[in-house]
Amino acid sequence: MTRVACVGECMIELSPAGERTLRLAYAGDVCNTAVALARLARGSDVAVGFVTRLGDERHSEAMLAEWRAEGIDTALVDRLPGRAPGLYLIELDDRGERSFSYYRSEAPARELLAEDEHAATLRAGLAGVSWVFLSAVTLSLLSASAHERLLALLDHLRAGGTRVAIDTNYRPRGWPDADTARRRIGEALERCDLALPTLDDERRLFGDRDLAACVDRLRGLGVPEVAVKLGADGARVAWAGRSEHVLAVADVEIVDSTGAGDAFDAAYLHARLTGNDPPAAAAAGNALAAATLGHRGAIARTG
């Protein structure tokens, strides 16, 4: 069994469904990837778990029920009494490009690894996992001490054979300042086996002048495999001294771009876990991202 643990946040998502109507769902970047990966992995030997903290009210219960229905292991979802998940609103322009408003300052996911006891619980519960997947949004949630606990946890897990994948999605409003973001993301990348960045984010935070500079910087940190998301231009993969550009799906109608990068991550990971090489994995990622662009909200409804 190949176990993948996705570490991050889930929020209440409110997206446009009419002039004065909002559609309620549950989403968050790592959560979106976990759901998509679990759907792709059905019937296989890939098992997906989600690691987060929730409250004890009805939305937390509904999130848990949805994840279990998707086949996601929730054994490492911790509950904090009296707390409720964060919330975000999606606004769309005429081209389907999105912007977000967040209400999450008291979200329980911000308490990930907040205590030594929680870190010890995760260390025991994650023993033997094949992959840990997290994002820069996950990193932005953590206090300084929790960040240090995360680095120690990753070091411990990697010593036991676990590999780490990181989407370095930079969301400035989640960070106290860009210097903190650069330092923390850089420290995580030094413990990373697969980086899944978006070029626009990397240029904004790290000042990479172009795609080649982005790839070179990540490889210089010791990341052995890189898949850079390029939006409508597809993706660039670099691994084992090789590099290849993989075209995006052509003529995609964009209804809502929310979650497209998360879908890419899921399909890429699934393809690599099932024996495909990086270019084939990027093609799978591009295909699922394109499908995600065609529906509203971060996660497509099923059934």
Side-chain angles (χ1 to χ4, degrees):
M1 180 67 70
T2 300
R3 294 171 57 207
V4 182
C6 300
V7 183
E9 178 183 30
C10 187
M11 291 174 284
I12 300 166
E13 175 192 84
L14 298 178
S15 60
E19 185 174 348
R20 286 184 172 270
T21 305
L22 294 170
R23 170 182 172 269
L24 184 147
Y26 303 117
D29 65 336
V30 172
C31 177
N32 305 338
T33 297
V35 171
L37 182 56
R39 290 176 179 178
L40 291 169
R42 284 175 187 161
S44 75
D45 67 349
V46 176
V48 181
F50 192 44
V51 180
T52 193
R53 282 183 139 171
L54 291 179
D56 57 358
E57 41 60 82
R58 69 181 186 89
H59 292 292
S60 297
E61 293 292 343
M63 288 176 181
L64 279 167
E66 286 195 4
W67 301 336
R68 288 165 181 161
E70 296 285 359
I72 294 173
D73 182 354
T74 61
L76 292 177
V77 175
D78 191 32
R79 312 291 297 277
L80 299 182
R83 303 287 284 275
L87 178 150
Y88 73 103
L89 299 171
I90 300 175
E91 296 181 48
L92 300 173
D93 64 20
D94 293 339
R95 298 174 298 166
E97 288 299 324
R98 78 280 194 249
S99 60
F100 304 116
S101 298
Y102 292 99
Y103 305 85
R104 69 206 289 211
S105 60
E106 296 299 317
R110 302 186 74 88
E111 303 297 321
L112 277 166
L113 293 158
E115 314 91 20
D116 290 336
E117 294 79 6
H118 191 228
T121 297
L122 295 188
R123 180 169 173 157
L126 294 172
V129 297
S130 306
W131 282 86
V132 168
F133 173 77
L134 65 154
S135 74
V137 173
T138 308
L139 300 176
S140 73
L141 298 171
L142 305 180
S143 67
S145 58
H147 178 73
E148 294 303 318
R149 292 186 188 98
L150 174 66
L151 297 182
L153 176 63
L154 295 180
D155 287 340
H156 171 75
L157 293 173
R158 293 186 81 215
T162 298
R163 289 187 281 181
V164 176
I166 300 175
D167 183 333
T168 57
N169 45 357
Y170 175 53
R171 304 292 179 262
R173 282 179 292 181
W175 291 95
D177 54 69
D179 286 341
T180 301
R182 277 188 288 268
R183 177 178 56 80
R184 289 195 184 182
I185 293 171
E187 289 171 342
L189 284 168
E190 290 171 356
R191 295 158 170 85
C192 178
D193 300 277
L194 168 62
L196 295 153
T198 298
L199 181 59
D200 287 345
D201 292 343
E202 300 300 288
R203 296 178 79 165
R204 182 169 24 164
L205 181 59
F206 293 101
D208 298 330
R209 66 182 182 278
D210 54 24
L211 176 58
C214 175
V215 173
D216 288 347
R217 176 178 53 79
L218 292 166
R219 297 301 298 272
L221 289 171
V223 182
E225 184 174 337
V226 177
V228 185
K229 288 164 281 193
L230 306 171
D233 292 326
R236 167 71 66 172
V237 291
W239 79 108
R242 300 174 60 186
S243 180
E244 187 170 328
H245 181 222
V246 181
L247 295 174
V249 176
D251 301 322
V252 175
E253 179 184 6
I254 301 176
V255 174
D256 182 352
S257 62
T258 308
D262 310 326
F264 178 98
D265 295 346
Y268 190 98
L269 277 166
H270 180 259
R272 293 295 281 134
L273 292 172
T274 52
N276 293 279
D277 66 9
N286 288 339
L288 190 57
T292 302
L293 292 169
H295 67 75
R296 294 191 180 277
I299 300 174
R301 291 180 179 270
T302 59

